[in-house]
Amino acid sequence: MQAAQIFSFHGGIHPEQNKAQSLQLPLGRPPLPNELILPLGQHIGQSSRPLVKIGDKVLKGQTIAMNNGFLSSFLHAPTSGTISAIEERLIAHPSGLSDLCIILTPDGQDEWTELTPLVDWKVGSKTDVLAYLSEMGIVGMGGAGFPTQVKLQGAHKHPLSHFIINAAECEPYITADDMLIREKTLELILGIEILQHLVEADQVVIGIEDNKPTAIAALNRLLDERNSTIKVAVVPTKYPSGGEKQLIQLLTNKEVPSGQHPADIGILCQNVGTCVAVHDAIYQGKPLISRFTTLTGDALKSPQNVEALLGTPIAHLLDYAESEQKKLHRLVMGGPMMGYTLDSAVVPIVKTSNCILAATKKELPTPAPEQACIRCGMCEQACPASLLPQQLLWFSKSQEHEKAEHYNLFDCIECGACSYVCPSSIPLVQYYRHSKSSIREAREANVKSDLAKQRFEARQARQEAEAAEKEAKRLARQKATTQKASDKAAPTKAATSATATPSAASTNDESKKLKIDLAIGKTKLKKLQKQLLAAQENEHLEEINALQQQATEQEKQVALLEEELAKVSTAAPSAAATPAPAKAPVSDELKKAKVDVALIGVKLKKLQKQLLENPDDNEIKTKIAGFEADLKAAQALLEKLGANGPATTVAKAAVSDELKKLKIDAAIAKAAVKKVEKALKKAEEIQAPEIDAIRQQLKEAQQRADNLEKTLANPAPAAPAAIASSPANADADKKRKIDLAVAKAGIKKAEKNIALLKEQGKDEAEIEASEWPKKLAEAQAKLATLETETNPSETATAPAASMTPANADADKKRKIDLAVAKAGIKKAEKNIALLKEQGKDDAEIEASEWPQKLAEAQAKLATLESQTNEPTAAPKIETKTSDEKPNLAEQIKKQKIAAALAKAQINKLTKRLENSVEGTPEEAESIQQEILAAQQKQQDAERLLAQLTHSQDNTQENR
Amino acid sequence: MALLRITSPHTQRAGQRTSWVMQMVILATLPGIIVQTWLFGWGTAINLIIAGITALLCEAAILSMRRRPVAFFLKDYSALLTAVLLGVALPPAVPWWVTVTAVGFAIIFAKQIYGGLGNNPFNPAMVGYAIVLVSFPVPMSQWLGVQELVASGNSLSFMQSLQAIFHHLPAIDSYTMATPLDGFKHKDLLDSDTAFNTIAALQTLNLRSWMWVNLAYLLGGIALLWLRIITWHTPVALLGALFVMSGIFYLIDPSNAASPVFHLTTGAAMFGAFFIATDPVSSCTSNRGKLVYGAGIGILVYVIRAWGGYPDGMAFGVLLMNFAAPLIDYYTQPRTYGHKKAKTGLNIKEDN
């Protein structure tokens, strides 16, 4: 055994020892009290769970309460007897509160339960030993009552350099450990050896103050005998050398880092009482049911150390030590430096009660009134933790908790050295306790509010993200519509080509807006990043989390905005530049040609009217023929111009097909882009490593989508040019057109409101529609049969066409019929209009079939008209009464009507789409689909029409 | 039986209360007072009585105005200590109203108005001293000389002292002479050797008498150190800084600068180092802080003595460093147990 090196610690005080009084008498063993009060919470951690009921008979050492969780302990009956109650009793606690206690009435037999020592502790598993110690109810007996097995487990975190046995017992008056060492030296050494076996430390050192020479001598003698490697380190008497941190510093010159445990630097401390209890448990199977307690103070006639059963009321011990009630002024549990006063002597001895100080007024006088702090610095010289107590007092008094924390308030061990030396009698420790609890409360409140704040912010961020996503979707749709609108603007030729420019302008506006948003977002992000940096510097953990969340959110938003901006800026040129300028020159010429055609058409019509009145006028006939020739020439020109863009009809068809395909591709690509974007967002959220790969994908997908959109934008203006031919041919009959326009106007109005009801209203509408032709039939008897037979327009045209050449003679009669039919249509239209205004629902349902019916009727009218015209008005057609010609003309007309109808619908839908941009996205989507369908229809019609006109032209030219 | 409920600790160091601290400091000035009285007559003693009465009256008046327990606070001896420090610092034959002004200002304005004991940012005694030094320069510069050197060849008798203080002593000029510091300050163009040979105030006898005064205060200071009422940090840093400063400039220019020994044994060097600069309330609290604070005063004292407008600089040096004390405190916190390094300032930084 070598002498251990002793270091020193800052501060410390040398109060009166007052240890001699209690060492005058040998160890006392008080008789059994009338009842034992066994609190369920004698240790740090969860209170034990009682295993006995009231009235149960228990034997000495029998387990009466078991651990309740990890950080808890067992409790055993200190003697045999009956459980008389399990109730709230006053306990020994600074708060002076009550706690649940098991009350044991001893039977006086003191009969042991069967003891099962752990004989094989050296060979058995250490975990079993720890579990056994837990079951034996062993806790740290120095003061805190930390469950020993938990402390031993914690010591396994790091390899232990030192296993320190704390025998310093620096508090004045207390001699319980001193007496324990003297009385149970061997048990102590054996207990230490068991613990050393469990923790395997490099060194085992017993730290003991030099004011216990008898104990030191006993230890040294025994250790010499056993040739033990355990060292005895005698430290100078200085309070608080028995403090765990101070003893560690004394023996190892290491400091336990602030906020950490000795185990973190490879040191384990155990109290001597704990070591003896471990020995008793392992070697004898005795659980922790008694302890050494010092009974001292001037109010006791025979101060002494006793081995007291746990649960013994203090009053019983005071009686045993012959207390003088009159002299008793202050009853302290523990020492005079860190003990706490008791309200009454009915409280029991617990596992951590090392001393009962029954002091007289003279011994522990009432503290002097507090005076002003003169910052003398005596406290600072005394502080074993090297704090600045006077500054801490200042901050505590002024409630400057942050500053107090900065001055390491929480490193205060509340040893009381500062208060002891304070010349102004300031209860410094009390100020610190108050500040500490205030800070702890504030921290708890902070944690709560931070949690609430985080939740709130997360919710807000989520909502914002949702809103942003919605907005992005809306913008994307808007962009898509403007693109489509500009695509569509081209087909509507010169007049509508202008709409492309506003849409381009709108995209410009949008991009501007986006740019502004982006700038704002970026500045916000920068600000957040700055805040985050500051927070990181200042160690504000909660803030850092919240800020980080915000920052990532902002980053995402900025990225989103950037994407949108990129989309818009790529879309803008393709939307604005391509359709309008390319179209302009052609459409100008077209306009001119069309005006020519219209002019000629009007003249022709006038002449035809005259011809109707004077069918025999040759002059008019020749004029008509001349005009018709002009018309034809103008039409040819118009056609040529119309075909100028995409050239041939076949090409047009091909283009439109291709366009369709491209559009689909673009849509798919866009969907893919969206999908990838979503994935990217998610990846950003979880900071996934694939983020770059996803970004790459996104870029590629965007590229693809952009390319497709570009190609889509290019052929888009070409396709619509097909329509150019249709008006040229349609001019053939102005009258029909007027009728058509009237009908269209009605249809438009009606259709606006119906679109959504279309599908469900079809059945009803069909019924209405079937009534409708009947009305017509009533108006005109001759056409009635024809109409009922030929409800679908295609079948209707065929017989009509076949009739024309056959009934050339019935020309006049047909003309009359025609007039009557026209009148009927008008009448019907009027009725319908009325109906529409009356009940919208009905009107809507009706109107759903309306355009079709009207169109059919008009088609028939047109057929009739053409039939009439062929033999009468148009001499050319009359002369060329070939079999195929009327058929062809018939078909052309039909297709023209279909195309016109489709066009009208497209126009109407586009208008509605523009209106509904602010509306729900679903609506817009459905409208777009309808537009697409209508466009398809129109294109089909146009293609057919073009083919027909082409073949007609060919035949005409051939002739 | 009602048991006393109170938080720990339950015991206090017996007897060493604030009043004890103040009493000890007052007692520690006794050697200095005795030497001063021996050398310069009864003036100092009379000053002390005037100052003490003024201080207690002012303190009591303000305390009652502030509705504080008068007896409780008077018994802490802090007012009396201020009076004693001022009494020994003022020239022995200074008119009574100068003393009363200085003490009254110190107690009322420098101490009580800030909230009484423990709350004054400046050393009250030095505030009072500075006020009268600035306001009444003529009486403040009239130090009595040792009897062997003054024209009358005698020091003032008790009655003469009373007359000088309370009325007017026409022959006062024959009893006064400049202090060594004053004399050295006004050596003008003379070099050091010539000055020490020619100027009366710089004669060995005068120098020695002032050295005795300083040694007496050093004795008192050592007693305070032994009683652990003060720590060694402030006086050692102060005297060390003064020694180093005077040493450096004496080495650079011995013909015009005075030796370190001259600086340490004249004027208020020891009195200031042990009794003024160590005033706990207005000085720094941590040991490191006390070193900085003391050194600052030492440097300032030398600067004022060598280049300032006053022969001695203790009062202004202390007051100037009082300003800096809170700042020094922020940056000289000791390293707390379990921390790798000391915290500084008030911003919370990364800490182990």
Side-chain angles (χ1 to χ4, degrees):
Chain A
M1 196 208 76
Q2 328 106 289
Q5 196 189 349
I6 307 299
F7 303 90
S8 180
F9 66 90
H10 179 266
I13 53 172
H14 299 89
E16 282 285 323
Q17 289 294 307
N18 283 315
K19 297 210 181 216
Q21 299 97 307
S22 53
L23 290 169
Q24 301 300 315
L25 291 170
L27 181 73
R29 290 196 166 79
L32 277 176
N34 292 331
E35 61 172 16
L36 293 168
I37 306 157
L38 299 152
L40 290 170
Q42 299 194 15
H43 48 266
I44 277 184
Q46 290 282 318
S47 289
S48 311
R49 214 156 11 135
L51 294 173
V52 289
K53 296 191 301 290
I54 295 165
D56 280 3
K57 294 232 176 263
V58 292
L59 293 175
K60 187 174 188 173
Q62 187 182 329
T63 310
I64 56 169
M66 65 175 291
N67 65 344
N68 188 10
F70 175 67
L71 195 64
S72 187
S73 188
F74 282 68
L75 192 58
H76 306 81
T79 185
S80 60
T82 318
I83 306 296
S84 56
I86 300 175
E87 61 186 19
E88 295 263 319
R89 286 287 183 95
L90 267 185
I91 56 155
H93 191 270
S95 64
L97 292 177
S98 306
D99 197 12
L100 201 61
C101 302
I102 296 175
I103 315 298
L104 174 66
T105 307
D107 57 10
Q109 305 296 314
D110 214 21
E111 189 185 341
W112 275 99
T113 185
E114 198 185 328
L115 298 180
T116 51
L118 195 71
V119 283
D120 61 342
W121 60 270
K122 259 184 188 161
V123 289
S125 107
K126 288 174 183 174
T127 323
D128 289 348
V129 180
L130 290 181
Y132 181 78
L133 290 179
S134 169
E135 280 168 34
M136 289 291 112
I138 291 166
V139 300
M141 292 167 80
F146 198 83
T148 301
Q149 84 281 359
V150 180
K151 197 169 182 177
L152 292 174
Q153 271 174 10
H156 283 292
K157 273 197 288 187
H158 299 279
L160 286 187
S161 63
H162 290 81
F163 173 29
I164 293 171
I165 291 90
N166 189 344
E169 203 172 44
C170 57
E171 274 242 25
Y173 286 99
I174 309 176
T175 54
D177 287 349
D178 190 1
M179 185 57 88
L180 186 74
I181 299 166
R182 294 190 203 180
E183 293 281 319
K184 299 196 169 183
T185 320
L186 180 63
E187 287 90 333
L188 171 65
I189 301 301
L190 291 174
I192 293 169
E193 280 169 0
I194 295 167
L195 289 171
Q196 163 66 1
H197 165 74
L198 291 175
V199 300
E200 294 170 334
D202 297 342
Q203 289 185 59
V204 186
V205 188
I206 302 172
I208 186 163
E209 270 190 350
D210 58 9
N211 58 3
K212 303 174 191 59
T214 322
I216 295 166
L219 276 174
N220 281 337
R221 199 166 49 241
L222 190 70
L223 289 174
D224 277 344
E225 270 173 35
R226 293 177 64 82
N227 211 2
S228 174
T229 53
I230 299 169
K231 290 183 205 165
V232 176
V234 182
V235 301
T237 300
K238 179 164 92 168
Y239 179 85
S241 61
E244 192 175 57
K245 290 176 172 179
Q246 280 63 44
L247 190 62
I248 287 169
Q249 197 175 10
L250 277 170
L251 301 187
T252 68
N253 206 22
K254 284 188 202 168
E255 290 182 13
V256 182
S258 178
Q260 293 186 27
H261 298 289
D264 294 321
I265 53 167
I267 292 170
L268 173 74
C269 274
Q270 288 289 355
N271 181 263
V272 282
T274 319
C275 298
V276 173
V278 167
H279 162 268
D280 288 353
I282 300 275
Y283 280 99
Q284 297 170 4
K286 285 183 186 171
L288 180 57
I289 53 167
S290 69
R291 69 154 298 139
F292 276 46
T293 300
T294 304
L295 306 175
T296 188
D298 285 354
L300 302 180
K301 271 185 190 160
S302 47
Q304 60 188 294
N305 279 289
V306 291
E307 186 173 5
L309 294 179
L310 300 182
T312 308
I314 282 163
H316 182 74
L317 296 176
L318 292 180
D319 285 343
Y320 178 73
E322 297 170 65
S323 75
E324 293 168 279
Q325 286 297 316
K326 274 185 191 162
K327 283 168 84 180
L328 183 62
H329 175 65
R330 206 188 303 196
L331 191 59
V332 180
M333 172 77 93
M337 294 305 296
M338 291 184 78
Y340 48 91
T341 50
L342 297 174
D343 266 342
S344 97
V346 301
V347 300
I349 290 285
V350 294
K351 290 176 182 177
T352 55
S353 311
N354 52 2
C355 179
I356 307 295
L357 174 56
T360 60
K361 193 165 186 175
K362 196 181 156 204
E363 196 177 12
L364 295 183
T366 316
E370 180 184 337
Q371 284 172 280
C373 171
I374 54 166
R375 311 200 330 145
C376 63
M378 290 182 188
C379 45
E380 184 204 332
Q381 308 304 325
C383 182
S386 304
L387 295 167
L388 286 176
Q390 71 274 48
Q391 298 296 92
L392 289 175
L393 169 73
W394 188 266
F395 299 139
S396 294
K397 268 184 158 178
S398 56
Q399 312 258 317
E400 292 170 282
H401 293 322
E402 267 182 31
K403 286 186 187 173
E405 270 191 85
H406 178 61
Y407 273 70
N408 302 322
L409 174 64
F410 280 91
D411 287 300
C412 170
I413 57 168
E414 298 178 19
C415 65
C418 48
S419 301
Y420 177 79
V421 299
C422 180
S424 292
S425 301
I426 303 170
L428 290 157
V429 180
Q430 183 53 19
Y431 277 107
Y432 306 152
R433 284 196 193 108
H434 180 261
S435 280
K436 280 182 182 177
S437 63
S438 299
I439 292 168
R440 283 200 197 99
E441 268 172 44
R443 275 183 190 168
E444 276 164 31
N446 261 347
V447 167
K448 271 184 196 166
S449 69
D450 278 347
L451 223 65
K453 197 178 157 201
Q454 255 175 8
R455 272 201 291 265
F456 174 74
E457 275 170 355
R459 181 172 161 272
Q460 231 176 8
R462 200 182 61 238
Q463 283 176 338
E464 268 168 26
E466 278 170 5
E469 208 176 335
K470 243 183 190 174
E471 176 70 7
K473 267 188 189 169
R474 193 185 71 79
L475 285 172
R477 258 200 312 277
Q478 203 174 29
K479 199 209 73 188
T481 13
T482 46
Q483 186 130 17
K484 268 173 200 166
S486 58
D487 288 353
K488 241 176 287 138
T492 45
K493 289 177 301 166
T496 40
S497 72
T499 57
T501 344
S503 84
S506 78
T507 44
N508 265 342
D509 275 354
E510 209 176 301
S511 73
K512 219 184 247 170
K513 213 181 120 196
L514 274 171
K515 269 179 195 164
I516 291 162
D517 282 352
L518 188 66
I520 291 169
K522 270 183 185 166
T523 46
K524 263 189 198 167
L525 183 64
K526 256 184 208 164
K527 212 170 139 194
L528 276 171
Q529 278 166 343
K530 228 183 241 175
Q531 279 179 358
L532 187 65
L533 214 71
Q536 276 167 344
E537 272 172 10
N538 296 335
E539 261 188 327
H540 294 154
L541 273 177
E542 298 86 358
E543 249 176 71
I544 288 171
N545 284 339
L547 282 171
Q548 219 145 26
Q549 242 174 350
Q550 281 179 14
T552 42
E553 208 65 52
Q554 194 62 37
E555 261 172 50
K556 260 182 260 162
Q557 271 182 10
V558 168
L560 210 75
L561 283 169
E562 268 173 351
E563 268 166 35
E564 268 170 41
L565 188 62
K567 266 190 214 166
V568 167
S569 51
T570 51
S574 65
T578 35
K583 200 72 196 122
V586 182
S587 61
D588 267 359
E589 270 183 274
L590 262 172
K591 218 184 196 172
K592 214 177 140 197
K594 253 165 66 192
V595 170
D596 283 351
V597 170
L599 218 70
I600 295 161
V602 170
K603 279 181 187 166
L604 192 61
K605 217 160 98 192
K606 218 171 158 189
L607 282 171
Q608 277 172 344
K609 240 184 215 169
Q610 281 178 1
L611 192 65
L612 266 171
E613 280 158 15
N614 317 303
D616 298 321
D617 196 336
N618 277 334
E619 204 187 295
I620 294 169
K621 272 186 192 168
T622 49
K623 263 189 194 169
I624 286 173
F627 272 126
E628 279 199 331
D630 282 356
L631 183 60
K632 197 158 245 169
Q635 275 177 342
L637 182 70
L638 191 58
E639 185 140 326
K640 218 169 126 195
L641 282 170
N644 218 10
T648 60
T649 44
V650 187
K652 264 182 249 166
V655 165
S656 70
D657 266 359
E658 213 178 354
L659 193 67
K660 222 202 283 180
K661 220 178 119 197
L662 272 172
K663 270 184 191 166
I664 291 159
D665 281 354
I668 289 167
K670 265 191 218 160
V673 170
K674 254 184 207 165
K675 215 167 137 191
V676 176
E677 270 173 30
K678 236 182 223 170
L680 182 63
K681 219 187 269 175
K682 243 182 220 165
E684 271 174 348
E685 257 163 17
I686 56 165
Q687 306 258 318
E690 312 89 36
I691 200 157
D692 281 334
I694 294 171
R695 276 207 183 112
Q696 190 60 35
Q697 269 184 333
L698 179 64
K699 232 182 230 170
E700 279 169 16
Q702 268 179 332
Q703 192 90 35
R704 221 171 3 186
D706 285 350
N707 282 346
L708 281 168
E709 269 178 346
K710 249 180 234 168
T711 43
L712 191 60
N714 285 334
I723 315 158
S725 57
S726 72
N729 292 349
D731 269 47
D733 200 334
K734 187 90 188 193
K735 209 174 164 192
R736 196 177 58 227
K737 254 192 169 177
I738 291 160
D739 289 344
L740 210 66
V742 170
K744 267 191 218 163
I747 293 157
K748 259 188 203 168
K749 204 174 158 192
E751 267 191 353
K752 248 183 207 173
N753 296 323
I754 317 149
L756 284 172
L757 281 167
K758 248 185 194 171
E759 278 172 26
Q760 57 176 121
K762 234 176 193 172
D763 291 335
E764 277 177 85
E766 268 168 2
I767 295 158
E768 290 269 350
S770 62
E771 275 173 9
W772 209 77
K774 268 177 199 166
K775 277 183 198 169
L776 266 174
E778 278 167 22
Q780 213 213 11
K782 260 211 175 169
L783 281 174
T785 40
L786 232 155
E787 273 182 347
T788 42
E789 267 176 37
T790 60
N791 215 356
S793 54
E794 272 173 52
T795 45
T797 46
S802 62
M803 262 165 73
T804 3
N807 302 343
D809 302 296
D811 189 29
K812 227 179 194 172
K813 202 182 158 192
R814 248 204 313 276
K815 260 192 227 166
I816 294 157
D817 289 347
L818 187 67
V820 175
K822 269 187 204 164
I825 288 172
K826 261 180 200 165
K827 208 174 150 190
E829 277 175 352
K830 243 183 214 169
N831 283 340
I832 289 159
L834 261 172
L835 249 165
K836 266 188 231 164
E837 273 163 328
Q838 278 174 4
K840 251 188 183 170
D841 288 336
D842 285 32
E844 275 167 5
I845 296 154
E846 261 186 281
S848 66
E849 276 309 286
W850 240 93
Q852 256 177 306
K853 293 292 140 199
L854 199 59
E856 279 164 19
Q858 281 164 344
K860 255 159 244 164
L861 186 63
T863 327
L864 276 168
E865 272 178 349
S866 67
Q867 279 170 357
T868 335
N869 287 347
E870 270 161 40
T872 52
K876 240 188 191 169
I877 296 166
E878 211 172 30
T879 49
K880 294 167 217 156
T881 44
S882 66
D883 280 338
E884 49 174 327
K885 169 66 179 145
N887 263 336
L888 201 62
E890 212 52 62
Q891 276 180 8
I892 288 168
K893 260 170 211 158
K894 211 176 78 193
Q895 289 309 323
K896 272 186 200 162
I897 289 158
L901 261 173
K903 224 170 70 188
Q905 208 175 359
I906 290 164
N907 276 346
K908 196 183 63 205
L909 284 169
T910 318
K911 217 176 257 173
R912 246 181 62 196
L913 184 66
E914 275 160 12
N915 289 338
S916 72
V917 163
E918 272 82 42
T920 62
E922 291 83 13
E923 221 177 310
E925 211 88 69
S926 71
I927 290 168
Q928 272 173 1
Q929 272 169 0
E930 278 174 49
I931 289 174
L932 274 173
Q935 271 179 330
Q936 194 56 40
K937 250 193 246 171
Q938 186 200 1
Q939 275 162 9
D940 287 346
E942 277 170 2
R943 203 171 57 218
L944 215 58
L945 185 65
Q947 275 172 356
L948 289 169
T949 38
H950 191 64
S951 60
Q952 189 188 33
D953 286 353
N954 281 350
T955 46
Q956 275 175 351
E957 270 161 62
N958 286 348
R959 247 173 257 140
Chain B
M1 174 202 67
L3 291 171
L4 185 69
R5 269 194 76 73
I6 200 167
T7 59
S8 68
H10 304 283
T11 176
Q12 280 185 319
R13 186 153 66 187
Q16 302 191 358
R17 301 279 76 88
T18 301
S19 56
W20 174 82
V21 173
M22 298 297 171
Q23 286 166 15
M24 287 305 116
V25 179
I26 292 169
L27 286 179
T29 58
L30 272 181
I33 292 168
I34 290 166
V35 173
Q36 263 180 269
T37 310
W38 179 262
L39 289 170
F40 307 121
W42 291 99
T44 306
I46 297 165
N47 276 348
L48 283 172
I49 291 163
I50 297 167
I53 292 167
T54 313
L56 291 175
L57 285 177
C58 288
E59 180 102 334
I62 300 291
L63 281 172
S64 60
M65 276 160 73
R66 288 177 62 214
R67 293 165 207 277
R68 295 293 190 279
V70 174
F72 177 76
F73 280 106
L74 284 185
K75 274 193 271 177
D76 67 21
Y77 286 87
S78 62
L80 205 61
L81 176 60
T82 303
V84 168
L85 295 180
L86 260 175
V88 297
L90 293 172
V94 76
W96 63 272
W97 44 267
V98 173
T99 311
V100 169
T101 307
V103 173
F105 204 88
I107 296 294
I108 296 168
F109 290 97
K111 182 182 171 192
Q112 286 295 338
I113 276 187
Y114 282 107
L117 181 63
N119 296 306
N120 46 301
F122 304 107
N123 188 321
M126 287 304 104
V127 171
Y129 185 85
I131 286 292
V132 291
L133 183 63
V134 172
S135 309
F136 317 114
V138 174
M140 285 301 287
S141 60
Q142 282 183 335
W143 265 93
L144 297 178
V146 284
Q147 54 189 4
E148 290 86 355
L149 288 177
V150 291
S152 59
N154 211 335
S155 58
L156 284 173
S157 69
F158 183 71
M159 286 315 290
Q160 279 175 316
S161 298
L162 280 179
Q163 201 187 346
I165 289 166
F166 287 103
H167 184 57
H168 176 67
L169 191 68
I172 189 75
D173 283 349
S174 60
Y175 293 94
T176 60
M177 73 179 290
T179 63
L181 282 172
D182 209 359
F184 193 78
K185 182 107 215 159
H186 296 107
K187 72 178 172 70
D188 296 328
L189 298 172
L190 298 171
D191 64 26
S192 293
D193 287 337
T194 326
F196 278 102
N197 287 329
T198 55
I199 295 173
L202 295 177
Q203 283 178 17
T204 318
L205 202 59
N206 201 24
L207 289 176
R208 192 167 294 161
S209 67
W210 276 97
M211 189 182 75
W212 279 116
V213 171
N214 273 287
L215 286 175
Y217 284 117
L218 175 63
L219 183 68
I222 289 166
L224 290 181
L225 277 175
W226 178 74
L227 286 169
R228 298 200 182 194
I229 285 170
I230 58 169
T231 60
W232 57 268
H233 304 83
T234 312
V236 167
L238 195 159
L239 297 174
L242 185 60
F243 181 84
V244 169
M245 284 292 285
S246 53
I248 288 169
F249 286 98
Y250 187 64
L251 286 178
I252 290 170
D253 186 9
S255 58
N256 279 313
S259 70
V261 175
F262 174 80
H263 277 289
L264 289 180
T265 56
T266 55
M270 293 298 168
F271 176 69
F274 286 95
F275 291 89
I276 301 298
T278 54
D279 167 39
V281 178
S282 55
S283 73
C284 290
T285 61
S286 68
N287 291 343
R288 281 200 300 149
K290 283 174 189 167
L291 288 174
V292 176
Y293 175 79
I297 295 171
I299 291 165
L300 281 172
V301 164
Y302 184 80
V303 167
I304 293 167
R305 280 183 182 181
W307 304 291
Y310 292 95
D312 204 352
M314 192 54 75
F316 294 109
V318 167
L319 289 175
L320 284 172
M321 286 314 284
N322 284 165
F323 278 109
L327 182 76
I328 297 169
D329 273 345
Y330 282 147
Y331 289 94
T332 53
Q333 296 170 45
R335 183 188 65 85
T336 307
Y337 178 98
H339 291 256
K340 284 205 179 96
K341 59 174 193 246
K343 285 184 180 175
T344 52
L346 274 179
N347 62 332
I348 294 118
K349 276 192 185 152
E350 188 77 28
D351 190 56
N352 53 329

